Amino acid sequence: MRNNLLIGIILIIILSLAGCHGENQQTKQTTANNSGKLIQLDDIADKRIGVCTGTIFDGFIATKYPQANINRYDSTPDMVMAIRSDKLDVAVIDALSAKTVQNSNPDIGILSDNALSYPLGIGFNKNNTALRSKFNNFLKESRSNGAYDEIYQRWFANDPETAVMPAVKNNIRGDKLVLGVSVADLPYVAYKDGKYVGFDIEMIQKFAAQEGYDLEIVSLEFASLIAALSSGKVDMIADGIAITEERSKQIDFSDCYVEGRAAVIALQKNLANTNTAANNNNSKLKTVDDLKDKRIGVLLGGIHDDYARKTYPQAAVMQYKSQSDLILAVKTGKVDAAFFTHESLLEMMRSDKELAFLGENLYRIPIGMGFNQNNDELRIRFNEFLKQIQGNGVYDDMVDRWVTKGTTDMPVLENPKNNGRLVVGVVSDKGLPFAIVKNNRIVGFDIEMAERFAAYLGKEPVFQDMEFSSLIAAAVGNKIDMIDSTLVITEERKKQVDFSDPYYELGTSVFTLKNNLAKYDGQSDNSAAPSFMQKFSDSFYNNMIVEQRYLLIINGLKATALISLFSVVFGTLLGALICWLRMAKNRFLSTIARVYISILRGTPVLVLLMLIFYVVFASVNIDPIIVAVIAFGMNFAAYVSEMFRTAIESVDKGQSEAGIAVGFTPLQTFIYIIMPQAVRQVLPVYKGEFISMVKMTSVVGYIAVQDLTKASDIIRSRTFDAFFPLVMVAVLYFLISWLLALTLDYISLKTDPKRNRSTREVSA
């Protein structure tokens, strides 16, 4: 049974590698079969239709299309997700909201933007006619003095995603006014940057300011708004609420403040009308200015993060910890475009034909080596070395080989290595021309620069492969002597580390999928799609065989196994000690154990890992693997100590008393009577915690340990394969967990007295 489960899971994972191929075939089949596409509104009559619970659309669809399968959701984003995952065929939402949805989701199209029209109003309790009258008067005044038109222009006429909510001054002099809203989507009500925004919000804020009310906004489910208003929990409700006879029986409405319309949305590929295709074309990227309201990917801790946020304040800037993660985000549609180093992108696009530049090189920025602020001598020596190679032609030769020609061969340098070590922090998946892993060795422009500098000093170069966001912390904590990873020189970073003279100027460019660019519209790929076996074979060869990349996986597997095994041993022994302290009658010892367990269980293991490496052992030259064992062992101990305590306490006290009665010492009673029973109790839970700990070791890359996950990142940075390395590592983690589970199950069986008794009886 277990073997069948393993085979099934592996087959499912392998089949996912053919996802892109299968999707292409499905798209071709759908295109060929136009009869199944949606052309007009009545085509949804027998489809799966999504509506928000409690909205006017629910009754409309039920009446107009009784044969439809209606599915009710709490929000528009939930329905969009359902459409994408093929849980729905279409969804009915407000027409203005539909445009906002389409802007941020290019794969969503609009079948009809006028399926139904209806008046919108603000809701009031039937016992509060005075408040309703005040609002109606305010609405009339706003329409006459132009204030309404200004709000309308901002949220309805223009793109609501780029609208800036104005500050409304309110000299509070009256009672509290509680407004109930359902935070669904723009242009009516949304929650952005820590505050409520939208047409309804701005209008009611100005009403409250005019009347001097102390406005409080309460977020509720849409279906709960009327009940909250009727029961007096809120004074007003808003969020594009349609005025209907049914609702008017329970609450009073203001005068209509805008006419609403219903739209029907679906996946673009399921729509046949040409208007949708045109809308989709308009949403494609033409210049970098089109990124103003898009999702932009940047490297965590990189200079592009700050530039993107300042240049595109309305965009959603998303951070990723490595180049390979950034590429994966672009390829899978998590971001619309991403910023990265121009030189590295040139190399990447030589082998990856799916990606393209958006616009030209944006800007150039100087980079330098980073040093601890207390190590001026090393920084001065590097500046002297840099001037020397720039003057004798060595520097120009390096630029020509790595940047211009794209070489990947490291020169052999003479280095006596008789003057100690030079520990250099690098990011191995930075990409050519600066740093890559080839044949299980880091090579690149930056690497050669560091090796030449080490030879200049007569030191042995030792490279610490780290996450980019950990480099400065490592330099500040003296874990490394020098940062060598295309580190951009900024005023903010100068507060923490000292920089050498600039040794290169990096270009910065924006890249995205060709499918996202308008200039590639109409260009079809006529090449035959490879078969599944060909695709799998090519992926295996590129990710495992070329440049002996399988060695990265083997070394990563060794690191993961070592950390996991020793962490469990250390954690189990420490956990036993903590358990003994926790059960001690001495209150002081018990308190120590309680505090330890509370702190360790409440601290994320990544935070604990970095605290131990960069703070506790800041001035100690210690192997990162040892630090990982200590951190994971301490975390593991906090959990297993409580498992041990619970298991021991579950053994009946009469067992201890019986052991003492027959002449055993307390220690002998525990070892021979209590512990065997406790072990059987604790093994099932212990097994689960052990497996969880093994999977948690995937974060050790933050302290320069090359484990399985880091090996996957390095391979992806060379092959730009978004799936194979991740799936391969996922399978390996599964196999490790599965083997561990089998081993612990075997131990559990061996310690089962019933099974052992049965075996002895059979033997007899």
Side-chain angles (χ1 to χ4, degrees):
M1 179 67 180
R2 191 183 296 273
N3 290 336
N4 291 339
L5 175 63
L6 172 63
I7 294 170
I9 293 175
I10 294 176
L11 284 175
I12 291 172
I13 294 174
I14 292 176
L15 287 174
S16 69
L17 294 172
C20 296
H21 173 63
E23 185 177 341
N24 290 338
Q25 287 182 330
Q26 183 180 7
T27 303
K28 290 176 182 177
Q29 291 170 357
T30 306
T31 304
N33 181 19
N34 278 337
S35 60
K37 291 196 172 186
L38 302 172
I39 300 174
Q40 57 187 357
L41 188 59
D42 287 342
D43 290 341
I44 70 172
D46 58 349
K47 296 293 189 289
R48 298 167 299 173
I49 304 174
V51 296
C52 279
T53 305
T55 60
I56 191 175
F57 310 133
D58 193 340
F60 166 72
I61 294 298
T63 302
K64 187 172 179 64
Y65 303 115
Q67 302 302 318
N69 180 6
I70 302 176
N71 295 264
R72 296 166 180 84
Y73 292 82
D74 290 331
S75 67
T76 298
D78 289 345
M79 290 194 291
V80 172
M81 187 181 299
I83 290 175
R84 283 178 159 176
S85 58
D86 198 33
K87 299 291 191 300
L88 290 176
D89 298 307
V90 298
V92 185
I93 63 175
D94 181 85
L96 292 171
S97 298
K99 291 181 179 179
T100 303
V101 168
Q102 192 179 38
N103 287 338
S104 57
N105 301 274
D107 57 336
I108 298 294
I110 299 175
L111 174 65
S112 170
D113 61 358
N114 195 18
L116 174 70
S117 61
Y118 43 87
L120 302 181
I122 306 298
F124 298 88
N125 189 293
K126 283 186 173 291
N127 297 323
N128 202 345
T129 56
L131 183 63
R132 174 175 170 272
S133 298
K134 285 182 180 180
F135 182 82
N136 284 337
N137 291 334
F138 162 78
L139 191 59
K140 291 176 183 177
E141 291 175 10
S142 299
R143 281 178 166 149
S144 62
N145 62 23
Y148 176 89
D149 293 336
E150 180 185 345
I151 304 174
Y152 186 94
Q153 187 72 21
R154 186 178 359 266
W155 297 105
F156 291 153
N158 298 328
D159 183 359
E161 288 287 352
T162 61
V164 178
M165 188 78 175
V168 179
K169 293 183 180 180
N170 187 349
N171 296 320
I172 299 172
R173 59 186 183 276
D175 298 330
K176 178 176 286 188
L177 179 67
V178 182
L179 170 65
V181 297
S182 172
V183 182
D185 42 40
L186 291 171
Y188 302 107
V189 177
Y191 193 77
K192 290 177 63 178
D193 302 323
K195 62 182 181 180
Y196 294 97
V197 299
F199 181 92
D200 290 13
I201 299 297
E202 182 177 349
M203 183 171 59
I204 295 173
Q205 279 185 350
K206 290 186 174 179
F207 166 65
Q210 178 177 300
E211 299 296 329
Y213 288 119
D214 181 10
L215 181 63
E216 177 185 345
I217 302 176
V218 178
S219 177
L220 301 165
E221 297 294 339
F222 189 89
S224 302
L225 288 176
I226 292 179
L229 183 61
S230 299
S231 62
K233 300 296 184 184
V234 297
D235 301 309
M236 307 168 62
I237 59 173
D239 194 3
I241 302 174
I243 302 173
T244 67
E245 290 185 9
E246 191 66 29
R247 290 172 178 168
S248 296
K249 295 176 183 177
Q250 302 179 63
I251 62 174
D252 283 341
F253 281 98
S254 68
D255 295 337
C256 171
Y257 66 87
V258 74
E259 281 287 332
R261 290 181 293 110
V264 178
I265 60 173
L267 286 175
Q268 292 275 14
K269 66 180 183 179
N270 294 336
L271 300 176
N273 63 70
T274 55
N275 290 333
T276 301
N279 289 336
N280 186 41
N281 184 50
N282 291 335
S283 68
K284 291 201 172 185
L285 302 172
K286 301 179 180 67
T287 68
V288 290
D289 292 336
D290 295 335
L291 295 174
K292 62 183 180 180
D293 57 350
K294 296 295 189 290
R295 298 164 299 170
I296 302 173
V298 296
L299 197 64
L300 178 64
I303 188 67
H304 307 135
D305 188 351
D306 188 53
Y307 174 83
R309 292 182 190 278
K310 290 180 178 178
T311 308
Y312 308 105
Q314 304 300 322
V317 180
M318 307 175 75
Q319 300 172 323
Y320 296 88
K321 70 181 182 70
S322 67
Q323 176 196 11
S324 50
D325 288 340
L326 199 62
I327 296 169
L328 180 59
V330 171
K331 285 190 169 185
T332 56
K334 302 297 183 187
V335 295
D336 299 299
F339 283 75
F340 203 65
T341 304
H342 182 77
E343 288 79 0
S344 298
L345 290 174
L346 284 173
E347 176 63 26
M348 178 177 67
M349 290 179 186
R350 288 172 185 167
S351 58
D352 196 318
K353 303 305 180 184
E354 291 183 74
L355 303 173
F357 286 110
L358 174 61
E360 301 298 326
N361 201 335
L362 291 179
Y363 57 89
R364 302 196 71 83
I365 42 180
I367 58 174
M369 300 293 181
F371 300 87
N372 187 289
Q373 293 183 335
N374 296 320
N375 201 348
D376 286 340
E377 181 182 353
L378 187 63
R379 178 178 58 83
I380 292 171
R381 295 294 302 275
F382 180 83
N383 288 338
E384 293 172 352
F385 157 77
L386 183 61
K387 288 179 181 177
Q388 182 185 96
I389 63 173
Q390 287 175 337
N392 61 19
V394 172
Y395 177 86
D396 292 336
D397 175 64
M398 289 174 59
V399 172
D400 180 63
R401 284 186 290 108
W402 291 106
V403 180
T404 306
K405 295 179 180 178
T407 185
T408 58
D409 297 322
M410 286 285 289
V412 178
L413 304 175
E414 293 185 5
N415 185 349
K417 301 179 182 179
N418 56 6
N419 198 22
R421 305 193 316 164
L422 179 70
V423 183
V424 184
V426 299
V427 178
S428 61
D429 57 351
K430 198 72 178 177
L432 283 173
F434 300 104
I436 61 163
V437 174
K438 179 183 177 183
N439 296 328
N440 210 29
R441 180 193 177 190
I442 303 177
V443 301
F445 180 87
D446 282 357
I447 307 305
E448 182 178 339
M449 179 79 73
E451 288 194 349
R452 288 186 179 276
F453 178 50
Y456 175 79
L457 298 174
K459 293 178 179 288
E460 177 189 0
V462 178
F463 294 100
Q464 292 284 353
D465 188 6
M466 315 184 78
E467 301 293 344
F468 185 83
S469 56
S470 301
L471 288 172
I472 291 180
V476 172
N478 284 312
K479 292 299 180 184
I480 56 177
D481 300 314
M482 183 173 80
I483 300 174
D484 177 24
S485 185
T486 61
L487 194 64
V488 175
I489 301 172
T490 67
E491 293 300 320
E492 191 67 28
R493 289 173 177 167
K494 285 181 180 179
K495 297 176 183 177
Q496 301 182 67
V497 296
D498 285 341
F499 283 93
S500 68
D501 294 336
Y503 68 89
Y504 193 78
E505 281 197 347
L506 284 180
T508 297
S509 293
V510 179
F511 73 100
T512 184
L513 286 171
K514 287 183 178 179
N515 290 340
N516 294 341
L517 297 175
K519 66 180 181 180
Y520 287 100
D521 275 0
Q523 297 186 16
S524 58
D525 183 8
N526 295 322
S527 59
S531 65
F532 167 71
M533 290 307 300
Q534 182 64 44
K535 184 179 178 67
F536 179 82
S537 174
D538 291 345
S539 293
F540 182 84
Y541 179 78
N542 290 333
N543 288 280
M544 296 294 287
I545 306 303
V546 174
E547 298 179 358
Q548 297 180 319
R549 290 172 186 149
Y550 63 89
L551 293 177
L552 291 170
I553 297 297
I554 293 174
N555 292 334
L557 190 59
K558 289 179 182 177
T560 297
L562 279 174
I563 293 170
S564 301
L565 179 62
F566 285 103
S567 295
V568 165
V569 174
F570 172 60
T572 301
L573 295 176
L574 180 60
L577 175 62
I578 299 299
C579 175
W580 178 77
L581 293 175
R582 175 75 171 80
M583 299 181 70
K585 294 181 180 179
N586 186 302
R587 183 172 294 180
F588 176 72
L589 296 178
S590 178
T591 301
I592 291 175
R594 288 175 185 270
V595 171
Y596 177 89
I597 292 169
S598 297
I599 293 175
L600 269 294
R601 290 173 69 174
T603 304
V605 69
L606 176 58
V607 174
L608 178 66
L609 182 70
M610 298 186 74
L611 277 175
I612 293 176
F613 187 67
Y614 293 116
V615 179
V616 177
F617 292 109
S619 58
V620 180
N621 184 16
I622 187 171
D623 192 315
I625 288 184
I626 297 176
V627 174
V629 169
I630 294 172
F632 286 103
M634 290 176 64
N635 178 269
F636 190 67
Y639 288 92
V640 298
S641 63
E642 287 295 273
M643 295 179 201
F644 292 163
R645 183 180 65 85
T646 304
I648 291 170
E649 290 178 346
S650 69
V651 179
D652 189 84
K653 291 183 179 180
Q655 302 277 343
S656 300
E657 295 170 355
I660 298 295
V662 298
F664 282 0
T665 66
L667 180 60
Q668 289 174 325
T669 301
F670 177 77
I671 293 174
Y672 295 113
I673 298 176
I674 305 300
M675 191 171 72
Q677 298 180 67
V679 167
R680 292 196 302 275
Q681 295 286 339
V682 83
L683 268 178
V685 187
Y686 183 89
K687 176 177 69 174
E689 191 61 36
F690 188 0
I691 292 172
S692 295
M693 193 272 295
V694 172
K695 292 183 286 186
M696 282 194 296
T697 61
S698 61
V699 301
V700 294
Y702 281 90
I703 60 168
V705 177
Q706 186 178 306
D707 69 322
L708 268 177
T709 304
K710 184 64 177 178
S712 167
D713 291 340
I714 293 171
I715 292 174
R716 285 191 292 146
S717 71
R718 290 291 288 131
T719 63
F720 309 113
D721 190 327
F723 300 104
F724 191 92
L726 289 176
V727 172
M728 175 178 57
V729 169
V731 170
L732 287 174
Y733 271 113
F734 168 77
L735 290 175
I736 292 172
S737 301
W738 179 67
L739 290 173
L740 283 174
L742 282 180
T743 304
L744 292 173
D745 285 345
Y746 177 77
I747 294 173
S748 180
L749 286 173
K750 283 294 185 181
T751 58
D752 186 353
K754 294 181 180 179
R755 179 182 179 276
N756 293 334
R757 192 182 305 117
S758 300
T759 303
R760 287 194 298 269
E761 290 174 356
V762 171
S763 299

